[in-house]
């Protein structure tokens, strides 16, 4: 049938990467966002001690968030968080392959571990630096409840009130962190995948 032919037609490599990167990043982010919300809350709060004199941990903060705003409070900032993943996740996957190609390991059966790690780290650092505004907006919305209506309002408010350079505040440490994370994620993925293929496991 026509629909069967459409669904069975494989996407070209660039199309699949454009879709797979952002979609997988958004799905993972949705699952992990409650922990990120709690982390930001713990980082910005002034008093980590509860009225009962007990140091509040992850579970205590989670309970407080649900009590104050319902379960949806655990996904505060979902919009900007997904916006970051759409931009950062998509860019990272789409520049990773050109970087691997420039290093001469694209399509290699057994690429050197060092070059695989380097390619992943470079993709993460570049993508994070470019997408720093999305990260800044996400943190601002999570940390300042009710101040910003949405991603667009946050972007405009920051630029008009503080200047466009504020959108790139923390770009260096954020990029360094992203480089290490991507080096571990993409580097290990590349090595494990190619080794499994060369050994006929997959």
């Amino acid at each position: 049938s026509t629909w069967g032919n459409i669904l069975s037609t494989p996407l070209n490599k660039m199309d699949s990467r454009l879709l797979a990167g952002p979609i997988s990043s958004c799905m993972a982010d949705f699952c992990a966002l409650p922990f990120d919300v709690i982390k930001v809350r713990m980082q910005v709060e002034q008093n980590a001690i509860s009225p009962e004199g007990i140091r509040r941990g992850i579970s205590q903060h989670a309970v407080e968030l649900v009590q104050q705003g319902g379960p949806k409070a655990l996904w505060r900032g979902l919009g900007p968080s997904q916006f970051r993943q759409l931009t950062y996740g998509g860019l990272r996957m789409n520049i990773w392959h050109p970087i691997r190609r420039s290093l001469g390991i694209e399509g290699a059966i057994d690429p050197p571990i060092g070059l695989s790690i380097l390619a992943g780290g470079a993709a993460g650092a570049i993508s994070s630096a470019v997408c720093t505004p999305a990260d800044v907006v996400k943190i601002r919305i999570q940390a300042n409840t009710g101040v910003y209506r949405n991603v667009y309002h946050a972007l405009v408010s920051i630029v008009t009130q503080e200047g466009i350079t504020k959108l790139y505040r923390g770009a260096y440490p954020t990029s360094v962190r992203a480089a290490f994370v991507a080096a571990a994620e993409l580097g290990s993925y590349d090595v494990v995948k190619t080794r499994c293929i060369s050994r006929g496991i997959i």
Side-chain angles (χ1 to χ4, degrees):
S1 65
T2 303
W3 279 111
N5 292 333
I6 293 174
L7 294 174
S8 63
T9 301
L11 294 169
N12 62 51
K13 291 184 178 180
M14 184 56 70
D15 288 339
S16 63
R17 290 168 191 161
L18 283 170
L19 292 172
I23 291 174
S24 60
S25 295
C26 286
M27 290 176 65
D29 178 71
F30 179 83
C31 296
L33 185 59
F35 297 98
D36 196 43
V37 171
I38 293 170
K39 179 201 73 173
V40 171
R41 182 184 174 95
M42 294 177 72
Q43 289 175 334
V44 301
E45 74 169 359
Q46 299 298 318
N47 185 12
I49 306 299
S50 68
E52 294 77 19
I54 302 174
R55 179 171 292 276
R56 292 180 291 184
I58 294 176
S59 59
Q60 286 79 13
H61 280 281
V63 170
E64 288 179 4
L65 282 167
V66 173
Q67 290 175 341
Q68 294 170 5
K72 67 179 182 180
L74 293 173
W75 279 270
R76 179 182 299 153
L78 178 62
S81 186
Q82 295 285 284
F83 170 66
R84 178 186 181 276
Q85 294 304 324
L86 283 171
T87 53
Y88 169 73
L91 181 61
R92 187 179 72 164
M93 289 302 296
N94 280 282
I95 67 172
W96 178 50
H97 289 278
I99 291 174
R100 293 176 76 246
R101 187 159 50 249
S102 68
L103 294 174
I105 60 174
E106 180 77 0
I109 296 176
D110 194 7
I113 296 176
L115 291 180
S116 294
I117 292 174
L118 177 61
I126 294 171
S127 301
S128 179
V130 172
C131 300
T132 295
D135 198 47
V136 170
V137 167
K138 182 193 78 168
I139 293 174
R140 287 289 190 95
I141 291 178
Q142 287 178 340
N144 300 280
T145 308
V147 176
Y148 306 110
R149 295 191 297 271
N150 48 47
V151 172
Y152 177 75
H153 181 235
L155 283 170
V156 173
S157 298
I158 294 171
V159 171
T160 55
Q161 297 173 15
E162 305 174 43
I164 193 170
T165 57
K166 288 296 183 181
L167 290 176
Y168 290 89
R169 186 175 185 177
Y172 177 70
T174 302
S175 298
V176 171
R177 177 186 178 276
F180 280 102
V181 172
E185 289 180 350
L186 298 179
S188 60
Y189 163 77
D190 193 25
V191 171
V192 172
K193 183 191 72 174
T194 53
R195 296 284 171 83
C196 288
I197 292 175
S198 64
R199 288 163 175 73
I201 298 175
I202 57 175

